[in-house]
């Protein structure tokens, strides 16, 4: 699915990737997708937990050369 | 969504690193859509002090406390490896390198996310701190207000 917004949080330390994600997802309508790039090693666990708690869905994630990419679909 | 969850944190410590941990958790909890409250008591009140000196008439003892305590978050020491003030300089350098948010920015970010910052009035009296010396965007309360929030809290921390 095409992301509506892409957030670059590369190089940022905890808690900034999650704060940026939270801000960005607020602007989306439910069903729309956010793409996030991060280098924080904790980001994967953080985003998995955060999306679940917020009722969003982590559609997919990849790791390439230390860059983590996430696709999050906004929940209801 | 269900009713918002609550996170309450008591910040007792006046150490830069401990306050940083408290504020990172507070910001994280706010990102989790929790209603977040930080109660600042004893040395934790120093995190709320304005960096500029305020001229307020005080008794001798209170004036001494005012001088001896750090004026604001950026002047706080470390709980470990403080090395007479060199430690905080070193850690701020390392934080910059790793793009970690400095404590004053974490506090501003918390306010932006509507985290409620509360000053404990009893310990303010003990330490001789006046409302005018603390940030303007905070509230004042005592133990009952803390318990009121904490009783239906989901996350409770004492730092």
């Amino acid at each position: 699915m095409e992301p509506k917004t892409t957030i670059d949080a590369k190089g940022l330390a905890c808690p900034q990737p999650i704060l940026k994600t939270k801000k960005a997802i607020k602007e989306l309508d439910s069903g729309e997708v956010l793409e996030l790039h991060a280098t924080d090693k904790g980001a994967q666990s953080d985003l998995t937990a955060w999306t679940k708690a917020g009722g969003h869905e982590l559609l997919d994630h990849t790791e390439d050369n230390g860059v983590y990419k996430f696709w999050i679909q906004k929940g209801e | 969504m269900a009713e918002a969850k609550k996170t309450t944190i008591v910040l007792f410590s006046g150490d830069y690193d401990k306050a940083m941990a408290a504020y990172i958790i507070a910001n994280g909890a706010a990102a989790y859509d929790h209603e977040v409250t930080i109660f600042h008591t004893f040395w934790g009140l120093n995190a709320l002090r304005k960096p500029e000196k305020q001229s307020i008439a005080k008794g001798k003892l209170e004036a001494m406390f005012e001088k001896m305590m750090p004026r604001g978050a950026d002047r706080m020491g470390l709980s470990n490896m403080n090395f007479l003030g060199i430690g905080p300089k070193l850690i701020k350098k390392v934080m910059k390198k790793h793009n970690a948010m400095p404590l004053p920015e974490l506090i501003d970010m918390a306010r932006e996310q509507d985290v409620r910052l509360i000053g404990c009035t009893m310990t303010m009296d003990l330490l001789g701190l006046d409302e005018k010396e603390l940030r303007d965007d905070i509230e004042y309360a005592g133990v009952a207000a803390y318990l009121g929030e904490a009783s239906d809290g989901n996350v409770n921390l004492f730092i």
Side-chain angles (χ1 to χ4, degrees):
Chain A
M1 204 180 287
E2 273 303 296
K4 175 98 179 170
T5 334
T6 303
I7 298 291
D8 184 5
K10 292 197 290 291
L12 296 179
C14 173
Q16 293 166 91
I18 208 83
L19 298 184
K20 277 188 171 267
T21 308
K22 150 99 185 173
K23 245 186 201 161
I25 215 146
K26 230 179 170 175
E27 307 297 319
L28 297 187
D29 293 324
S30 64
E32 289 181 330
V33 175
L34 174 81
E35 184 176 328
L36 171 75
H37 301 176
T39 48
D40 174 22
K41 283 191 190 69
Q44 188 167 326
S45 315
D46 273 3
L47 280 154
T48 309
W50 181 83
T51 46
K52 199 176 153 202
H56 311 299
E57 197 179 349
L58 187 57
L59 298 175
D60 198 9
H61 58 90
T62 61
E63 196 246 303
D64 184 26
N65 255 332
V67 177
Y68 301 87
K69 291 186 182 175
F70 303 90
W71 289 269
I72 301 160
Q73 185 171 39
K74 183 169 180 170
E76 294 304 313
Chain B
M1 232 190 286
E3 203 182 321
K5 292 190 171 173
K6 280 189 181 178
T7 290
T8 53
I9 299 172
V10 178
L11 182 59
F12 176 93
S13 169
D15 295 324
Y16 189 97
D17 44 352
K18 291 191 181 180
M20 213 176 133
Y23 271 92
I24 288 175
I25 296 168
N27 276 297
Y32 257 80
D33 284 321
H34 287 198
E35 287 173 9
V36 188
T37 315
I38 309 179
F39 293 86
H40 299 72
T41 187
F42 281 92
W43 320 110
L45 284 166
N46 288 316
L48 300 175
R49 284 177 78 181
K50 292 174 184 161
E52 311 81 26
K53 194 174 161 34
Q54 312 290 319
S55 56
I56 291 151
K58 284 188 188 183
K60 254 194 190 139
L61 211 56
E62 284 81 6
M64 198 177 79
F65 263 90
E66 181 190 321
K67 262 211 181 107
M68 288 173 69
M69 296 187 303
R71 216 186 309 123
D74 203 38
R75 290 194 178 91
M76 283 161 44
L78 291 180
S79 66
N80 250 308
M81 306 206 322
N82 192 49
F83 303 138
L84 299 167
I86 297 169
K89 289 199 176 77
L90 291 178
I91 206 153
K92 281 171 202 171
K93 218 172 167 174
V94 177
M95 280 163 55
K96 209 170 196 172
K97 191 175 139 198
H98 290 278
N99 260 321
M101 277 172 105
L103 181 57
E105 280 179 40
L106 281 167
I107 299 177
D108 289 339
M109 175 66 81
R111 281 302 299 141
E112 251 175 66
Q113 294 203 86
D114 292 323
V115 170
R116 292 171 64 200
L117 307 183
I118 294 181
C120 159
T121 48
M122 190 279 278
T123 43
M124 280 171 65
D125 288 344
L126 289 186
L127 303 180
L129 289 171
D130 190 278
E131 284 186 22
K132 292 187 207 76
E133 291 175 81
L134 306 183
R135 290 173 70 102
D136 297 318
D137 55 357
I138 66 169
E139 303 165 54
Y140 297 93
V143 66
Y146 159 67
L147 287 167
E149 289 293 316
S151 309
D152 48 14
N154 304 83
V155 179
N156 273 315
L157 294 171
F158 185 96
I159 297 175

